[in-house]
Each structure stands twice: as structure tokens, then as C-alpha cells.
Amino acid sequence: MASAAGTAAALVAVPAIAADAATQLPETAPAPAEAAPVWTFTAEPYFWMAGMKGRVGVRGLSSVDIDVDFGQIFDHIDWSPPPVMFAGEARNGRYALFTDFIYLGLEADGTSPGPLALFSAEANMNTVVWTFGGSYRVVDNGTATLDLLAGGRLWHLDADLTVTGPLAIREASGSKTWVDPIIGVAGDVALGNGFGLHGEVDVGGFGVGADIDWQVQGTLQYRYSDSVTLEAGYRYLAVDYADDGFVFDIAMQGPIIGARFRF
């Protein structure tokens, strides 16, 4: 009887011990939180062999037609001070801030239309073009990306114009600064073996500054290392601005080369 009583007591105790042990099992570890996006930065010095074609005018003198092909650009650049061209991006996940700065001094020959038609003209221009804004990545599938862009483009131009005729030489100078709002898209496609394509288009102005301000750019990229990407392509940038006798109706286009450094 004592043995039977002991057996019964053991059978009663087993569930109780099991239940107590269950209460002491470690809790299931929570799923690891997804790592928060970190900031990455890129810096890209580049050189744009931008030819220039269109009209430039300042108050007191008719606009001047100029036409400098990108193949002639080295003969027309004012190298003192030298050109400055630099782009950069700060990215955190799908969000990014971007900037693109250009300073270019140019000396161009041309003609003056209107009453001074076919008279020779000379334009000395110092141009600053600063594009800035933010972007949001709407596509990122490992092979291709697509970003929506919004921001502004600041223009600053100092121009000295000289028109030479058979009886007189007329000169005028002036400067103007304005900012155009812009919107656009940019995308990349990986081709494999380190190669890829980059494309970008934006449009702006809308009468806020210029009547129209737009650009298109396409480059072939080669990822030399995790931190260095080389690229070469073509860029077209046009603006049509006129205000109070100041005219800058210009298209700039030509090959572009650069090296992008990632930090």
C-alpha cells in the first residue's frame, strides 16, 4: 500500500514539476529590429565641355547672338579663375539631398541682330549655375533605381558686351541673379561587370524666374571599386530668361566626364 501511495504521489507531482519548469523557460527572443538606414555621401568633381549657343543681352544694348561649339570650348574658357564643377549627394535610405555647382568664365564672339545686324560682337561672361534639392526613391529592385527630384536652380551671370560697327563701338555690362524651381526624375540601371547607365531629366522656371529652364543628362558608369565610380556621357542644359532689358536665352551642351567618390 505504501508503494502504491508513493507511485500515486509521484504521478501527481510530475505535471506540477513540468508546469513549474515551463514557467521558468526563457522567453522567446524578439525578432531583431531592422537596422536603421545610415547616411552615405558622394562627391563628384567633373568637367563639362559645354558649348554655348543663344542670345545674351544687357540693358542699353541689343542682345548678342553667340555660338561656341563644345569642340572650341578650350579656346574660349577664361582660365583665370579656372572653371569649377562639382556635384554631391547625402543619402539616408530612400531620401537624399543633392547639389551641383558650376562656375564657368567664357569669352565668345558673335553678331548683333536688329539695327546693328552683322556687326561684330564680343561677350565676356562669368556664369554660376547651382542646382540643389531633395529626392525620394520610388523604385529600388537591386538592378534599377528611380528617384523623384524637387528643388531649385540658381543662376548668376555677369556679362560684358561689346558691339563693333563701322562708325562706333558700343559697350554695356550688367549682372543678374535668379532662382528657378525645378522638378524631375533620375534613374540608374546596372548592366553587370561594374557597368551601369545613369539618366536624369528636370524642368523648371515656370515663369517664376526663367520662362523655361530644363536639362537632360545621360552617362555610362563604371564602378572601379566600392568607393569610386567613373562616368562619361552627354549633358544638355537650356534656359530662357528675360527681365528689364537683361536677356539670357542660352543652350549649353557637350560631353561630360567625372569621378564619383563614396564615403
Side-chain angles (χ1 to χ4, degrees), residues 167-204:
L167 301 177
I169 297 176
R170 299 181 61 190
E171 297 180 339
S173 61
S175 63
K176 203 74 171 182
T177 302
W178 71 93
V179 178
D180 295 326
I182 61 169
I183 56 175
V185 294
D188 294 277
V189 178
L191 301 178
N193 297 320
F195 289 93
L197 295 175
H198 173 79
E200 184 174 338
V201 58
D202 65 54
V203 61

Side-chain angles (χ1 to χ4, degrees), residues 104-130:
L104 180 64
L106 200 65
E107 300 175 352
D109 298 326
T111 59
S112 178
L116 300 179
L118 301 182
F119 284 21
S120 64
E122 181 179 316
N124 296 322
M125 297 172 291
N126 294 318
T127 307
V128 172
V129 186
W130 177 35

Side-chain angles (χ1 to χ4, degrees), residues 7 11 19 49 101 113 142 178 209 219 238:
T7 300
L11 292 175
M49 292 170 279
F101 180 86
W178 71 93
T219 58

